[in-house]
Amino acid sequence: MSRIIEFRKSAQKAAKQSVQGKTCAFTGHRPQSLPFGFDESDKRCTSLKSVMRDQIVALIENEGVTHFITGMALGVDIYAAEIVLHLKSKYPHITLESAIPCETQAIKWSVASRERYYNIAAKCDKETMLQREYTSDCMDKRNRYMVDHADYILAVWNGCPSGTGNTVRYAHKKGKSIIVINPVSLDVTRE
């Protein structure tokens, strides 16, 4: 009798793990480091978002990713969050977590950017605030948190030294699967 109970518990645990799926965190450049800057109507931006969407869909459909983490920074983090939120209509089982480096992350942004930020934050399934006050290393702490809690890293990175580059290097060190989209050529590489 106890073997049947153990088997059921084991089966329940396996089913729960398969429902939870894998996690992907996003990292990428701020608008000023992207070839189109803040102009999201630029064809290069719409093309980048399309490639990002394709990679996110592939992670959901082919890799079993169900949970996504965004660092909520301007640029790639915001684009990725909006893509995931849009995809929830087709994939209602996916979830989005905002990893916020500090409470005042968006305080100096434009009104429109803050409204976009708070709109996304309100729709996230989970919020993780790494610390209340800003410190010079809070963004790095946020990035390490995301890598530590992810199976995959989707990076929009031009290969130059940057916070994104530091995050990619940390992900390599941690043995994570990394997908890099070059923001200029839109080439996708898996590391």
Side-chain angles (χ1 to χ4, degrees), residues 27-31 33-37 39-40 42-56 75-77 79-80 83 154-158 180-188:
T27 187
H29 297 298
R30 306 301 179 270
S33 298
L34 294 168
F36 44 83
D39 184 3
E40 291 184 53
D42 187 298
K43 283 185 177 184
R44 295 170 294 180
C45 183
T46 55
S47 295
L48 172 62
K49 289 179 182 180
S50 177
V51 172
M52 290 173 63
R53 183 188 183 283
D54 291 347
Q55 292 303 310
I56 292 167
V76 169
D77 291 6
Y79 306 160
I83 291 166
L154 179 58
V156 176
W157 182 44
N158 61 14
V180 177
I181 302 170
N182 181 298
V184 177
S185 67
L186 302 180
D187 290 337
V188 178

Side-chain angles (χ1 to χ4, degrees), residues 70 72-83 109 116-117 120:
T70 175
M72 296 293 286
L74 289 171
V76 169
D77 291 6
I78 295 292
Y79 306 160
E82 289 174 337
I83 291 166
W109 296 3
R116 189 175 183 185
Y117 173 93
I120 292 167

Side-chain angles (χ1 to χ4, degrees), residues 54-171:
D54 291 347
Q55 292 303 310
I56 292 167
V57 168
L59 285 165
I60 295 167
E61 292 183 353
N62 304 329
E63 305 298 338
V65 173
T66 58
H67 186 68
F68 296 89
I69 308 173
T70 175
M72 296 293 286
L74 289 171
V76 169
D77 291 6
I78 295 292
Y79 306 160
E82 289 174 337
I83 291 166
V84 170
L85 290 173
H86 180 75
L87 287 171
K88 286 181 93 165
S89 61
K90 183 174 180 181
Y91 306 98
H93 65 287
I94 65 173
T95 56
L96 180 64
E97 174 182 354
S98 60
I100 300 172
C102 64
E103 196 168 27
T104 58
Q105 179 178 14
I107 201 164
K108 294 182 180 179
W109 296 3
S110 70
V111 171
S113 293
R114 279 196 315 268
E115 286 177 3
R116 189 175 183 185
Y117 173 93
Y118 291 122
N119 184 42
I120 292 167
K123 294 176 182 174
C124 285
D125 300 284
K126 179 180 178 183
E127 177 183 291
T128 302
M129 187 175 307
L130 278 293
Q131 59 190 55
R132 290 247 180 254
E133 302 296 323
Y134 173 84
T135 58
S136 60
D137 66 343
C138 68
M139 304 298 175
D140 289 332
K141 287 178 183 175
R142 184 260 330 264
N143 295 342
R144 287 191 304 271
Y145 167 85
M146 293 193 307
V147 169
D148 290 343
H149 290 84
D151 302 291
Y152 295 89
I153 305 300
L154 179 58
V156 176
W157 182 44
N158 61 14
C160 294
S162 62
T164 300
N166 292 341
T167 304
V168 170
R169 274 193 302 285
Y170 182 71

